[in-house]
Amino acid sequence: MIELTEKEMRFLKRVDTITHVPWSNKVTAADAQGRPLRISRATFARLRDDGIIMRSSSNLTSNTYVVNSAPVTPQVGEVLQAS
């Protein structure tokens, strides 16, 4: 079962988009107002692999991810309802 830390739950409540540049392995995140949020590459990989975030669009140089609207676990569902 997927267990989220408090930090990850707060992040998922605020995040709007996550951008990953595969060439440099750089990960950036932003909230709905466009303010930057901090996310590590390890956290990004964990959220992606667990299906909590999914790719919404991609272009030649980057991929954009958003929080999956269909919750993977009840804990993720609670986080999505709170945001």
Side-chain angles (χ1 to χ4, degrees):
M1 187 164 149
I2 301 168
E3 290 291 327
L4 295 175
T5 63
E6 286 294 321
K7 193 183 271 189
E8 290 170 339
M9 285 191 287
R10 283 193 318 266
F11 175 78
L12 289 173
K13 286 179 186 177
R14 290 191 54 208
V15 72
D16 186 48
T17 60
I18 302 169
T19 304
H20 177 240
V21 180
W23 310 111
S24 64
N25 205 21
K26 183 177 180 181
V27 179
T28 58
D31 63 5
Q33 287 79 30
R35 291 183 295 226
L37 299 173
R38 296 176 71 164
I39 182 172
S40 69
R41 285 182 284 234
T43 302
F44 166 75
R46 182 178 170 290
L47 294 175
R48 182 189 61 201
D49 293 343
D50 289 344
I52 297 171
I53 59 174
M54 64 181 198
R55 186 171 59 192
S56 64
S57 66
S58 65
N59 59 31
L60 187 59
T61 59
S62 66
N63 299 316
T64 303
Y65 291 82
V66 295
V67 178
N68 192 349
S69 59
V72 184
T73 65
Q75 185 182 22
V76 175
E78 291 172 8
V79 170
L80 293 177
Q81 288 177 354
S83 60

